[in-house]
Amino acid sequence: MSEETLQPVKKLFQQYNGIAMWKYVENRETRNYGVPSRFLCGPGFWNILYNSLLNIDFTRRTRVIAFADDLLVLTRGKCAFDAENYANHDLKKIESWARENKMHFNENKSEVLLVTKKTSGDNRTLNIYLNNKRLEQVSELKYL
C-alpha cells in the first residue's frame, strides 16, 4: 500500500474523535495518541496501521505475528546470545515504529521466553529490552 493511501488513515490515528461506551456511560473525547480502544471506528483502521509494523524489514532471524492488538516477536539464533542480540536489534525497530505512530508498547506487559532443543536446559538469563527496560523472563507463556 502506498504512503499516499496510508496518509488519511495515519492522520486519523494522530488525532481522532470518538465515543467510548463503558457500562452504559458515554464519553466523548479527542485523543492524540494510541489505538482507539473502546471507540467505534472498527478494527479495519487498526489493521491498516498495524500492517506497516508487520512490513518492517526485520532481520531474517525474526518473525512477527499479530493478533488483534497483541504482537508476538519470534527470534532464533545459533545460541541464546545470538537470539538475544537479534531480538534487541529488532525491538529497537519496533520502538521506532511506535514512536513514529505516536504509540507505546507496554514493557510491563511484555515477557521473554527462551525455547531451546538442548536437554541440558540452557537456563541463561536473557537481557532483552523494550523502551530501555529489561523484559521479564518467564518459563511459560500464555498467548491468545
Side-chain angles (χ1 to χ4, degrees):
M1 191 173 287
S2 72
E3 185 64 29
E4 185 176 289
T5 306
L6 287 175
Q7 277 305 69
V9 176
K10 286 183 177 181
K11 285 184 180 182
L12 171 72
F13 284 96
Q14 289 171 354
Q15 181 174 13
Y16 55 86
N17 293 305
I19 302 170
M21 299 294 287
W22 183 250
K23 294 188 180 179
Y24 309 107
V25 175
E26 184 177 302
N27 180 30
R28 293 179 185 271
E29 63 181 83
T30 299
R31 296 184 58 184
N32 296 311
Y33 58 89
V35 179
S37 173
R38 299 187 321 263
F39 282 82
L40 307 175
C41 75
F45 289 123
W46 173 241
N47 289 342
I48 291 168
L49 182 66
Y50 220 36
N51 193 52
S52 66
L53 171 63
L54 299 176
N55 288 324
I56 289 175
D57 186 25
F58 293 108
T59 61
R60 63 185 180 88
R61 300 285 187 169
T62 297
R63 297 290 177 264
V64 179
I65 300 169
F67 182 80
D69 64 346
D70 284 337
L71 189 68
L72 180 64
V73 180
L74 304 166
T75 304
R76 60 186 167 89
K78 291 184 180 183
C79 64
F81 180 75
D82 282 348
E84 178 182 274
N85 285 333
Y86 289 124
N88 281 317
H89 178 77
D90 287 330
L91 283 174
K92 286 292 182 193
K93 292 180 180 182
I94 292 171
E95 287 176 30
S96 177
W97 178 91
R99 263 191 316 279
E100 289 170 9
N101 289 283
K102 298 182 180 181
M103 295 181 157
H104 177 82
F105 288 100
N106 189 342
E107 63 279 349
N108 296 319
K109 291 184 177 181
S110 302
E111 300 172 324
V112 173
L113 174 69
L114 175 63
V115 178
T116 180
K117 292 191 282 188
K118 295 181 180 179
T119 55
S120 62
D122 188 355
N123 293 328
R124 184 179 185 285
T125 300
L126 298 173
N127 294 306
I128 297 179
Y129 296 87
L130 180 63
N131 303 323
N132 296 318
K133 294 184 181 164
R134 189 175 167 276
L135 298 179
E136 177 186 3
Q137 186 169 343
V138 297
S139 59
E140 60 184 43
L141 185 70
K142 186 175 184 179
Y143 184 71
L144 303 173

